[in-house]
């Protein structure tokens, strides 16, 4: 149930994989997974070899009752926020092409992808119902952090990570 493609946005092309739920119903959730820095490139299989997509592909997650979108940054990309418009256009395209419940769009990501989660949530308040950054840092001003107070989020860090907040 995997579809792959390229979204030919006017400001650049972005590869993606889209996983369909086993049972497609009207108005289903969409989960967006942002990969880390090692999965950038031109081969979409690189973006699905680790983390959430890998568990989805090998069946460890069982049935996931949602569409799962995995965009892939080009090799030259430094961070997700540099491809904000392309990713948002891709999300809009997926939502208009498939029966997506726009009140149930969530985002997760690992490392660089976790940082991307924060960036997208802050820049596009109201789009995501929740985010789950995994080992993703956040560099934000107080006014940007205030946006996050109205969002459900789940944070995942290793025991060697540190959390430092200064307001």
């Amino acid at each position: 149930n995997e579809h792959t493609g390229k979204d030919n946005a006017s400001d650049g092309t972005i590869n993606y994989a889209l996983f369909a739920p086993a049972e497609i119903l009207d108005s289903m959730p969409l989960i967006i997974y942002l990969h880390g820095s090692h999965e950038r490139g031109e081969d979409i299989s690189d973006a699905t070899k680790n983390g959430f997509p890998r568990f989805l592909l090998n069946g460890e997650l069982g049935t996931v009752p949602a569409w799962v979108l995995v965009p892939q940054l080009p090799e030259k990309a430094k961070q997700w926020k540099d491809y904000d418009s392309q990713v948002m256009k891709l999300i809009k395209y997926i939502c208009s092409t498939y029966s997506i419940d726009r009140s149930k769009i969530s985002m997760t990501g690992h490392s660089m992808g976790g940082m991307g989660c924060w960036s997208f949530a802050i820049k596009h308040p109201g789009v995501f119902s929740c985010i789950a950054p995994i080992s993703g840092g956040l560099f934000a001003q107080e006014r940007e952090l205030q946006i996050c107070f109205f969002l459900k989020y789940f944070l995942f860090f290793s025991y060697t990570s540190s959390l430092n907040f200064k307001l």
Side-chain angles (χ1 to χ4, degrees):
N1 290 347
E2 177 186 3
H3 310 278
T4 59
K6 287 182 183 279
D7 182 53
N8 295 309
S10 60
D11 48 0
T13 300
I14 190 164
N15 292 333
Y16 68 90
L18 178 67
F19 298 92
E23 183 181 358
I24 299 174
L25 306 171
D26 284 341
S27 201
M28 297 194 72
L30 173 65
I31 301 168
I32 299 132
Y33 174 80
L34 304 180
H35 62 72
S37 63
H38 297 292
E39 290 81 26
R40 293 174 292 187
E42 299 305 316
D43 183 356
I44 192 62
S45 67
D46 289 339
T48 61
K49 68 183 178 183
N50 293 313
F52 182 62
R54 185 186 83 197
F55 300 130
L56 185 65
L57 280 170
N58 68 20
E60 287 183 56
L61 298 177
T63 301
V64 176
W67 291 88
V68 178
L69 175 62
V70 183
Q72 183 185 35
L73 287 178
E75 183 67 38
K76 65 181 179 172
K78 293 193 185 314
Q79 52 194 338
W80 280 102
K81 71 179 185 177
D82 297 336
Y83 281 75
D84 179 272
S85 65
Q86 293 93 327
V87 172
M88 292 308 295
K89 285 178 186 175
L90 178 57
I91 292 169
K92 184 176 180 181
Y93 167 76
I94 296 300
C95 288
S96 65
T97 304
Y98 302 95
S99 183
I100 304 296
D101 181 345
R102 291 177 187 246
S103 71
K104 294 182 180 175
I105 299 174
S106 58
M107 182 176 275
T108 187
H110 176 255
S111 191
M112 180 181 76
M115 291 178 71
C117 285
W118 287 113
S119 176
F120 281 97
I122 289 169
K123 189 165 182 185
H124 304 282
V127 171
F128 304 100
S129 58
C130 68
I131 60 171
I134 303 166
S135 299
L138 169 63
F139 303 98
Q141 301 298 316
E142 182 177 354
R143 66 177 174 73
E144 294 170 322
L145 286 175
Q146 290 173 353
I147 292 169
C148 296
F149 292 131
F150 300 101
L151 179 68
K152 292 179 187 171
Y153 51 88
F154 306 91
L155 304 176
F156 300 91
F157 286 87
S158 74
Y159 67 93
T160 59
S161 296
S162 63
L163 295 173
N164 295 310
F165 292 100
K166 281 187 178 179
L167 294 178

